[in-house]
Amino acid sequence: MLIVIEGDNGTGKDTLAKRFEESGFHVVTWDSQAKEKEAWARTFSGLDCTNAFLDYTKLCEDVSARYKNSLIIRSWISTLSAAYADEKFSLSETMERAEKLFQERVNPDFIFFLKCDFEKRIARINARNPNSSDDRTLVRAERYEEISEKFEKMFLNWHTIDTTGKTPESEFQEAWNFIKLRSENK
C-alpha cells in the first residue's frame, strides 16, 4: 500500500507520517537517497527548482515500490501546488502539468491532504523554525488551497483532514479509519 501525505507547510505532515511509521509503514521521504535528492532540488530556484522537485518526487515513487507499505510526504501534487501558489505557473499551466503527471505517475492507494487554520499553521511554522523562508502570506495560502481543491477532484482516494485543534493521535485515527473502511468494502 502506498500512502501520500499532502498539505501546505505547518499542517502536520511529518507528525502524521511518524504515526504511520510506528504502525509499520516505511517513510520513503526519510530515506538517505530521498534526502540527498531533496537537498539537491533545494539548490535550484524558480522553474528549475520546481522541475528538480518533480524529479525528487519521481525518485520517491520509484523507491516506494520496494516496500509493501510505504508512505511519501509530498508528491508531485505538493510540488505543483506550491508552484501555483508561488505564481510560477498559471492555473491552466498547472492543471495541464497535473493531468499529464496524473497519467504518468504512480497513483497512491490513499492521499491524505492536511489542512489547518491559517493562524495555527503560521504559529506551527514559527515554532518549528522562526527563520525559515516559507512564504507566510494569506494570499499564498489561499492560492495553495485553491489549486489543491482542483487536484482533489482528480483522485477518488483523496481524503482531507483538518488538523486544527486535533491531537496527532486523533489525526492518525481519522486517517486509519479511511483505510479500514476501504478494506472492509473490498
Side-chain angles (χ1 to χ4, degrees):
M1 173 185 314
L2 173 61
I3 294 173
V4 170
I5 300 176
E6 299 285 359
D8 208 352
N9 300 326
T11 55
K13 296 177 298 297
D14 285 316
T15 302
L16 182 57
K18 286 177 189 167
R19 297 298 188 276
F20 273 101
E21 183 181 47
E22 292 165 0
S23 297
F25 280 77
H26 182 83
V27 182
V28 173
T29 313
W30 297 337
D31 282 355
S32 60
Q33 185 181 13
K35 285 185 175 206
E36 284 177 25
K37 189 79 167 186
E38 180 184 19
W40 166 81
R42 289 186 186 281
T43 65
F44 295 92
S45 61
L47 292 179
D48 291 336
C49 181
T50 299
N51 290 328
F53 268 97
L54 290 174
D55 288 346
Y56 156 75
T57 62
K58 176 71 168 105
L59 169 79
C60 289
E61 290 171 6
D62 293 345
V63 171
S64 74
R66 299 180 197 155
Y67 301 94
K68 179 180 178 186
N69 292 315
S70 60
L71 184 142
I72 298 172
I73 305 168
R74 294 191 168 213
S75 71
W76 62 264
I77 297 165
S78 285
T79 301
L80 291 184
S81 295
Y84 176 74
D86 296 335
E87 299 185 38
K88 293 178 186 175
F89 299 137
S90 68
L91 179 59
S92 62
E93 288 174 301
T94 305
M95 292 309 295
E96 283 174 29
R97 286 177 180 250
E99 288 167 15
K100 185 174 190 290
L101 289 169
F102 179 80
Q103 297 300 320
E104 295 174 352
R105 295 287 187 94
V106 172
N107 193 348
D109 296 292
F110 292 93
I111 298 170
F112 294 114
F113 179 80
L114 307 185
K115 68 180 195 173
C116 183
D117 170 77
F118 178 73
E119 296 300 325
K120 176 91 171 170
R121 199 172 64 72
I122 297 304
R124 288 177 180 173
I125 293 169
N126 289 336
R128 180 178 62 210
N129 182 359
N131 300 318
S132 89
S133 61
D134 292 338
D135 184 329
R136 299 173 190 169
T137 62
L138 183 57
V139 170
R140 185 198 179 278
E142 289 170 346
R143 286 179 61 87
Y144 194 98
E145 190 160 330
E146 173 193 353
I147 197 66
S148 297
E149 288 171 359
K150 295 192 180 307
F151 290 161
E152 177 181 8
K153 294 174 183 168
M154 298 172 74
F155 294 91
L156 297 174
N157 52 356
W158 181 292
H159 304 283
T160 300
I161 299 175
D162 188 341
T163 63
T164 307
K166 291 183 181 167
T167 65
E169 293 77 20
S170 66
E171 294 165 17
F172 175 74
Q173 192 59 55
E174 188 173 337
W176 196 253
N177 286 343
F178 284 118
I179 294 169
K180 278 179 46 180
L181 181 63
R182 181 167 147 205
S183 66
E184 291 169 0
N185 290 332
K186 278 192 171 182

